[in-house]
Amino acid sequence: MRRIMGSAGSLLLCGMLLAAAPAVSSAAHPSALQAGDTVTMRATVDGTPVGEDVLVLDPTAASRISVTIHNGTDTVKHVKTVRLSGTALALTFFSYDTTVPFDVPPKQSVTRAFVLDLGQLAAQATGLLPTSLEVLDVRRDVIASVGATGDVRGSAWSVYGVFGLAVFGLTVLAWTGALLALARRRLPENRWQRAMRFLPAGVGTGLVAVISLSVLRVAAPSPAAEIPFILGAAAAALLLGYLTPHPEDEPNDLPPTPTRSPHPAADRSDSRPVHDPEATQRITRPLPGGTA
């Protein structure tokens, strides 16, 4: 049981690191548009401009995607692939690559349109997810991209939905282990160690909140929404673990166990009368014939 709780805590801590990864990666990864480059992109999905409104992705129907690339540089841009992908918690839950080769001459714009079949999307994700539409060159480098909030009309038993259920189960295990240790007075004596015992449960609670809001179509799991939920729940769990009572300071409600003497005869009460054969009174009875 302890191994299961430890594994659950490790996985939830990994989830916290993954949740913070988008903010770090976005700062470390160089943008496709460097200084002096003016490659821009506009796109529509079923007539809806990408980036201006919530992008509805329905797996039951094919989507018509149109992209317009404006090349403001002095070199030709060779476009090979158009990619539609959705991510959450630094994990990619769906990605569709369509080969649409075309060249964009310098200082010109080119528009291409194609039909994308999203039939497999129902088993991949559901709810609100950050969605991006990118154009890649022959070396698989991103030339330009545009982002939006995708409303995926998938199944609750999709990969993203099952992922949320798994995080919920690990969170329940983490809380169960921490509360059982508190009830059995098996928490460490050090306050910070007790606080760290509750940390995985707090991280899991934040992850469950973020995924639930996404699946219920309340808020997409962007870094601006993920980090406050996860850090707030983790801080509350740390404080709860830090303020738990010391195991030795808790009163012992069990009555003391009476000790027994190894000799049963020593347990007898002194008020009990003792039989003395010398103090027994002898009574003489006359024998037949008159003799005593």
Side-chain angles (χ1 to χ4, degrees):
M1 186 66 178
R2 292 182 179 179
R3 293 181 180 179
I4 297 177
M5 301 303 177
S7 300
S10 301
L11 290 175
L12 292 176
L13 285 176
C14 291
M16 180 180 67
L17 296 177
L18 288 175
V24 178
S25 62
S26 61
H29 191 274
S31 174
L33 303 178
Q34 301 292 341
D37 294 338
T38 57
V39 179
T40 59
M41 173 182 176
R42 299 192 310 272
T44 61
V45 176
D46 295 331
T48 302
V50 178
E52 297 182 3
D53 200 356
V54 176
L55 186 61
V56 178
L57 299 176
D58 190 359
T60 61
S63 298
R64 181 177 177 83
I65 298 177
S66 175
V67 295
T68 300
I69 307 298
H70 175 73
N71 183 10
T73 65
D74 296 330
T75 59
V76 179
K77 296 299 180 180
H78 304 283
V79 177
K80 182 181 179 181
T81 307
V82 179
R83 173 180 296 168
L84 177 68
S85 61
T87 61
L89 301 174
L91 300 174
T92 301
F93 288 95
F94 67 89
S95 180
Y96 292 88
D97 289 357
T98 304
T99 301
V100 186
F102 62 94
D103 294 337
V104 184
K107 310 300 181 179
Q108 295 185 22
S109 300
V110 176
T111 301
R112 289 292 185 272
F114 59 94
V115 177
L116 181 61
D117 184 11
L118 300 176
Q120 298 296 325
L121 188 59
Q124 295 174 340
T126 185
L128 298 181
L129 291 177
T131 304
S132 63
L133 194 64
E134 303 170 327
V135 290
L136 289 72
D137 59 12
V138 294
R139 295 178 298 178
R140 311 292 294 180
D141 294 331
V142 177
I143 298 176
S145 64
V146 60
T149 299
D151 184 2
V152 183
R153 304 297 175 87
S155 171
W157 296 105
S158 60
V159 175
Y160 186 58
V162 173
F163 173 74
L165 292 176
V167 174
F168 176 76
L170 293 175
T171 303
V172 172
L173 287 177
W175 276 114
T176 302
L179 295 178
L180 283 178
L182 175 62
R184 296 175 179 176
R185 304 183 182 92
R186 293 182 179 178
L187 290 176
E189 297 182 358
N190 185 273
R191 285 189 176 273
W192 286 110
Q193 293 180 357
R194 297 203 299 272
M196 293 301 297
R197 184 66 182 273
F198 281 80
L199 178 61
V203 174
T205 302
L207 290 174
V208 169
V210 171
I211 297 174
S212 299
L213 292 177
S214 172
V215 173
L216 296 176
R217 294 178 173 82
V218 177
S222 62
E226 296 167 4
I227 296 177
F229 274 105
I230 297 175
L231 292 183
L238 278 174
L239 181 61
L240 178 62
Y242 185 84
L243 296 178
T244 53
H246 193 281
E248 296 181 357
D249 295 340
E250 298 180 4
N252 189 2
D253 298 333
L254 298 177
T257 304
T259 57
R260 293 185 177 182
S261 175
H263 303 286
D267 296 337
R268 297 177 180 177
S269 177
D270 296 339
S271 61
R272 199 170 183 179
V274 181
H275 178 71
D276 186 3
E278 297 294 336
T280 303
Q281 183 179 4
R282 296 182 179 180
I283 302 175
T284 59
R285 295 182 180 179
L287 295 175
T291 61

